[in-house]
Amino acid sequence: MKTNLKAGDRVRLLSMTDDPDPIPAGTTGTVAGVYPLSGWTQVDVDWDNGRSLMLSIPPDVVERLPADTTN
């Protein structure tokens, strides 16, 4: 699964269904790294709530925020 995210992008989490302690939907953060793998992409995010849980895309879903968005 290819993603257009890159380090420094601001994102908002839409869903994280497969984690036992997920980041809440609606939480924003900054992409720290993107690691494409076979069939999926691992995305390291520094979340604004202080957590740094990686995304697995798919199944996790985020939206990229406009460059001037801070919250």
Side-chain angles (χ1 to χ4, degrees):
M1 181 74 164
K2 186 173 178 170
T3 178
N4 294 326
L5 295 173
K6 63 185 182 313
D9 282 348
R10 295 284 297 158
V11 294
R12 176 179 292 119
L13 182 66
L14 299 180
S15 70
M16 180 182 283
T17 59
D18 288 347
D19 193 281
D21 186 19
I23 300 290
T27 302
T28 56
T30 303
V31 174
V34 178
Y35 311 98
L37 302 166
S38 179
W40 63 289
T41 301
Q42 188 172 21
V43 181
D44 189 5
V45 179
D46 292 329
W47 298 101
D48 295 346
N49 65 3
R51 291 184 65 189
S52 61
L53 185 63
M54 288 191 169
L55 298 170
S56 297
I57 300 176
D60 300 334
V61 180
V62 295
E63 66 178 344
R64 185 183 350 209
L65 299 174
D68 60 355
T69 302
T70 56
N71 295 8

